[in-house]
Amino acid sequence: MPRSVELHNYYRSGTSHRVRIALHQKSVAFEYVPVNLLAGEHKTDAYLALNPQGLVPALNVDGRTLTQSPAILEWIEESWPDPPLLPKDRYDRAHVRAMAALVACDIHPINNLRILNTLKSEFGADQDAVLRWISHWITEGFTALETILKADKTRGDFCFGDAPGLAECCLIPQVYAARRFDVDLTSFPAICAIDDACAVLPAFKAAHPGNQMDVI
Ligand SMILES: N[C@@H](CCC(=O)N[C@@H](CS)C(=O)NCC(=O)O)C(=O)O
């Protein structure tokens, strides 16, 4: 088992939030190392030495650095299998991974800070246009996810089955971002119910942006 686990992250970063949920869900003790994105700390030489992409999170385990939250989540799952983030059946696993990827590959990347900054600096978008951009892509992705969730008649309170897993690691931070940017969520009752079910769980409370040491 690893002796030291350091999470280099930022309280409001969705990808950081994903990894915090997984670590807390599995009761893994870790050191929280804040990286202030607004102050550009992710572009310093020291951080680029950890992650040449200059993106958070980075997970340093016994001196080895892991990057890319999907890879980190899978590594956490392999290292601490209980409680599981993925179901036993491989078709079910593909289904859960697909819901996670819907958020992680198709919603989050196009709403990232560097994309929003480029929309403003290179393409003349003002703040109102940026908010419309965010709302457009979250709404499109959540519309599909809501349909997927409603089609699963065996589902309990979560995206799959009766416990949160990989899909919630990605979804809950995206719901937090949607609320932060005032995206209208009234058309997504299934997603909001999953968010409510997670909000009362200790791991999700511990991972919440508002409960981190670097919250502003
Ligand atoms: N695919 C990467 C994306 C990481 C990422 O985009 N992180 C954001 C925060 S959520 C970041 O560092 N943004 C800095 C920037 O855009 O300048 C992952 O999942 O880890």
Side-chain angles (χ1 to χ4, degrees):
M1 274 297 114
R3 285 182 311 275
S4 99
V5 180
E6 269 177 15
L7 180 62
H8 298 255
N9 75 137
Y10 181 56
Y11 77 102
R12 214 162 56 178
S13 138
T15 50
S16 304
H17 190 177
R18 288 174 198 165
V19 173
R20 290 197 303 267
I21 293 171
L23 290 171
H24 285 298
Q25 183 72 2
K26 288 168 184 289
S27 304
V28 176
F30 67 95
E31 186 183 342
Y32 188 107
V33 184
V35 180
N36 187 332
L37 297 187
L38 297 185
E41 287 177 5
H42 55 311
K43 300 298 179 194
T44 59
D45 289 345
Y47 189 75
L48 289 172
L50 274 183
N51 181 0
Q53 265 195 300
L55 298 171
V56 292
L59 191 73
N60 194 277
V61 185
D62 293 339
R64 292 182 70 160
T65 304
L66 312 179
T67 61
Q68 286 290 345
S69 62
I72 297 173
L73 292 173
E74 295 276 353
W75 184 87
I76 291 170
E77 175 72 350
E78 288 168 13
S79 303
W80 294 280
D82 287 316
L85 297 177
L86 287 165
K88 285 199 169 60
D89 178 83
R90 63 194 162 121
Y91 288 96
D92 293 340
R93 280 202 297 278
H95 175 60
V96 169
R97 285 189 172 115
M99 290 188 281
L102 186 157
V103 174
C105 302
D106 297 333
I107 299 178
H108 173 273
I110 42 181
N111 290 328
N112 201 357
L113 180 63
R114 60 192 175 141
I115 306 300
L116 307 181
N117 286 343
T118 306
L119 286 174
K120 287 181 186 165
S121 63
E122 302 282 326
F123 300 99
D126 59 14
Q127 186 60 15
D128 182 56
V130 166
L131 291 176
R132 281 193 284 127
W133 169 279
I134 295 171
S135 178
H136 176 85
W137 296 116
I138 293 179
T139 302
E140 187 186 274
F142 277 10
T143 300
L145 182 59
E146 185 77 13
T147 304
I148 293 167
L149 292 167
K150 283 183 174 154
D152 180 357
K153 303 298 177 206
T154 66
R155 206 171 59 77
D157 290 340
F158 300 98
C159 290
F160 178 84
D162 293 312
L166 192 76
E168 284 79 6
C169 288
C170 295
L171 176 60
I172 299 312
Q174 194 61 63
V175 173
Y176 172 83
R179 294 218 166 93
R180 181 177 151 217
F181 292 111
D182 280 332
V183 177
D184 181 3
L185 296 179
T186 48
S187 305
F188 309 119
I191 290 174
C192 290
I194 292 167
D195 187 56
D196 289 346
C198 289
V200 297
L201 302 176
F204 286 81
K205 284 186 190 171
H208 190 277
N211 295 332
Q212 308 313 309
M213 64 164 74
D214 54 339
V215 64
I216 296 168

